[in-house]
Amino acid sequence: MEKVIERFREHFIVCGAEGAALTIFNELRTTNRPFVVVDPDRVLLERLAAVYANVAFIEGDATDNETLQSAGVAQARGLFAVTADDNQNLVVCLTAKQLNPRIRVVVSCQELRNADKMRKAGADSVVSPTYIGGLRMASEMMRPTVVSFLDTMMSRKEEPLRVEEVVVPQGLAPRSVADLDLARFRRSLLLAVKSKSGWAYNPPRDTVVSPGEALVIMTTPD
């Protein structure tokens, strides 16, 4: 397993193997992104391996330096701290940032009062399942058609759609949206451009995009 993980680059590490972690696994697999699961409970890992073919996992404590190093934290693109314990998630975040300051860390927070602590520990994003659940319930009541559209878009087995971000690489010359010829990508729709000056929604064809700016596109995982 460690030899397999050694070959990973720009992968994701999921610290936790139950609850919200299962939804993360499904999304990473659907969008063809490599990931490693870290959890101390071998029973949970064996159940995971029975459901997901060829899953890469490390049995160990994610707060331990050696465990995260075995998971390839130095080469990883991002880490999810999604255990059921806020204190453990905080320590996982702190450990990961010490080993790789460039890694993006998303932390699950059960108690909103702990969110500031997690951000101070280096979390790039803190997600509260309770808060998100409340927003979802409000949306189900006030905009059910929108919720149905998003659910259908995400859950389709054939050509599922996602809203993805594509950062323009450094070294490329600025060019207009028309020059990108995005129409050649079937089932793709440019929604917005994020630049230093702010957001451009439904950008016209003469909008110029430059290196470092992000395109927000509705498209298939491929």
Side-chain angles (χ1 to χ4, degrees):
M1 187 67 69
E2 290 183 353
K3 290 182 179 179
V4 171
I5 296 172
E6 283 178 359
R7 298 195 295 268
F8 282 3
R9 295 292 184 275
E10 293 295 303
H11 61 289
F12 296 88
I13 300 172
V14 184
C15 300
E18 59 183 339
L22 300 179
T23 303
I24 295 173
F25 302 155
N26 286 327
E27 179 64 11
L28 292 173
R29 291 299 290 268
T30 300
T31 55
N32 302 314
R33 290 174 164 93
F35 65 96
V36 179
V37 182
V38 178
D39 197 279
D41 191 329
R42 186 169 186 82
V43 174
L44 287 178
L45 294 176
E46 289 176 347
R47 290 176 183 171
L48 181 65
V51 175
Y52 296 91
N54 301 319
V55 64
F57 60 83
I58 295 290
E59 180 185 354
D61 185 352
T63 64
D64 183 72
N65 286 12
E66 292 184 2
T67 300
L68 289 186
Q69 287 170 341
S70 296
V73 67
Q75 296 80 35
R77 178 179 176 183
L79 179 144
F80 298 90
V82 66
T83 75
D85 187 298
D86 281 358
N87 290 328
Q88 186 171 6
N89 288 338
L90 188 150
V91 177
V92 170
C93 173
L94 186 62
T95 304
K97 283 292 187 177
Q98 288 177 340
L99 295 173
N100 181 359
R102 298 180 303 278
I103 194 171
R104 178 171 176 80
V105 177
V106 176
V107 180
S108 173
C109 179
Q110 303 298 323
E111 299 288 342
L112 282 176
R113 63 187 179 188
N114 294 325
D116 287 340
K117 296 178 183 178
M118 293 176 173
R119 293 189 182 95
K120 291 178 181 178
D124 296 282
S125 181
V126 179
V127 177
S128 167
T130 303
Y131 178 74
I132 295 297
L135 286 180
R136 170 63 186 244
M137 293 183 69
S139 294
E140 288 279 8
M141 179 62 70
M142 295 180 286
R143 50 189 78 89
T145 303
V146 174
V147 172
S148 177
F149 165 72
L150 293 174
D151 283 349
T152 301
M153 180 185 77
M154 298 283 287
S155 62
R156 290 180 53 177
K157 293 184 178 180
E158 295 183 0
E159 288 194 318
L161 294 174
R162 293 292 186 273
V163 178
E164 297 281 0
E165 62 179 69
V166 179
V167 179
V168 181
Q170 298 295 330
L172 295 182
R175 62 189 68 184
S176 68
V177 169
D179 291 336
L180 297 178
D181 190 23
L182 296 177
R184 71 184 188 276
F185 297 107
R186 191 173 71 90
R187 300 181 63 79
S188 295
L189 177 66
L190 178 62
L191 301 177
V193 174
K194 176 65 165 60
S195 64
K196 293 181 180 179
S197 59
W199 288 94
Y201 300 100
N202 189 22
R205 289 172 58 82
D206 60 354
T207 300
V208 176
V209 295
S210 302
E213 297 181 348
L215 310 179
V216 179
I217 303 175
M218 182 183 293
T219 186
T220 63
D222 288 342

